[in-house]
Amino acid sequence: MTSCPSTSVNIVALAVVLTTLAAEPLRGQDFKPDNAAYWYQQATHEISELPEEDLNAIYLYLENPIRTPNQRVVSAMERCKGAIALLHKGAHRQYCDHHLDYSQGVSLLVPHLSPLRTASKILAADAKLNLAQGNTNKAVESLNAGYRTSDHTSSDSLFISSLVSVANFISVDQQVQQALDRAELEPI
């Protein structure tokens, strides 16, 4: 039996929601700047303060195969610039440690996963927007940051983290594939 990618992504999204429903954000953790989690925590905090309408506009833009963004998307992405810069800084860090207490076993909460899923979508939307505006270098920077964030997401060595990592990877990879199909990027 084969499953389609959107079904797999939906299963991952449901698992993330169920895993993080009761979890509080990791504010106040004593992360150091050489830890990607330091930057991701700041970025996801900024993202959490975005209006729901902005996030919905960004999600719809990602689902739409048309590259040209509407003004709502452009405005929403403009409000994401600070968070995107923080995500890029995190992506350039060698390691990511969210200081999880593995001794909690199955009671361990992973509240960073859902915000990192949203962050990955914002990086993918930023790449798509930059390609639409002819800013190929900026688009590639966001695609690279998205891939690296996906890699960092799986560094928890938890199955759920790996599933979210795959979903994050797919968000970014879809933008790469669309850009290649439109000859906006050239294969190496």
Side-chain angles (χ1 to χ4, degrees):
M1 173 176 158
T2 60
S3 65
C4 68
S6 65
T7 302
S8 300
V9 172
N10 290 339
I11 291 170
V12 170
L14 177 62
V16 170
V17 168
L18 293 176
T19 306
T20 61
L21 271 178
E24 288 295 317
L26 292 174
R27 292 185 192 31
Q29 285 282 351
D30 188 24
F31 297 128
K32 305 228 180 302
D34 61 336
N35 182 352
Y38 173 87
W39 301 101
Y40 296 153
Q41 179 186 42
Q42 292 178 50
T44 57
H45 176 72
E46 281 193 25
I47 292 167
S48 73
E49 295 182 345
L50 290 171
E52 191 68 28
E53 299 81 34
D54 282 359
L55 293 175
N56 290 336
I58 291 167
Y59 297 159
L60 287 172
Y61 179 57
L62 278 176
E63 292 173 12
N64 188 340
I66 298 172
R67 282 263 185 241
T68 307
N70 61 35
Q71 188 54 45
R72 179 82 176 130
V73 171
V74 173
S75 297
M77 292 306 297
E78 185 66 32
R79 286 186 282 281
C80 292
K81 279 192 175 186
I84 291 167
L86 293 167
L87 291 168
H88 282 236
K89 286 183 179 184
H92 285 95
R93 298 305 177 263
Q94 189 169 10
Y95 76 99
C96 184
D97 181 1
H98 288 278
H99 302 308
L100 299 177
D101 180 4
Y102 294 99
S103 69
Q104 294 179 11
V106 296
S107 298
L108 175 65
L109 297 177
V110 286
H112 61 287
L113 292 180
S114 183
L116 282 176
R117 180 74 186 110
T118 301
S120 177
K121 289 180 179 183
I122 288 173
L123 287 169
D126 186 56
K128 183 175 181 174
L129 177 64
N130 277 303
L131 285 169
Q133 295 173 338
N135 302 323
T136 306
N137 289 340
K138 285 184 179 182
V140 169
E141 288 173 13
S142 279
L143 292 169
N144 284 334
Y147 282 128
R148 187 68 176 139
T149 302
S150 172
D151 184 45
H152 280 151
T153 303
S154 67
S155 67
D156 294 339
S157 299
L158 297 171
F159 181 66
I160 187 66
S161 297
S162 296
L163 291 174
V164 173
S165 174
V166 168
N168 290 351
F169 181 93
I170 289 170
S171 292
V172 175
D173 207 52
Q174 286 174 338
Q175 298 311 310
V176 171
Q177 189 58 56
Q178 289 175 16
L180 290 170
D181 291 348
R182 291 187 167 106
E184 295 169 323
L185 293 175
E186 294 181 18
I188 298 174

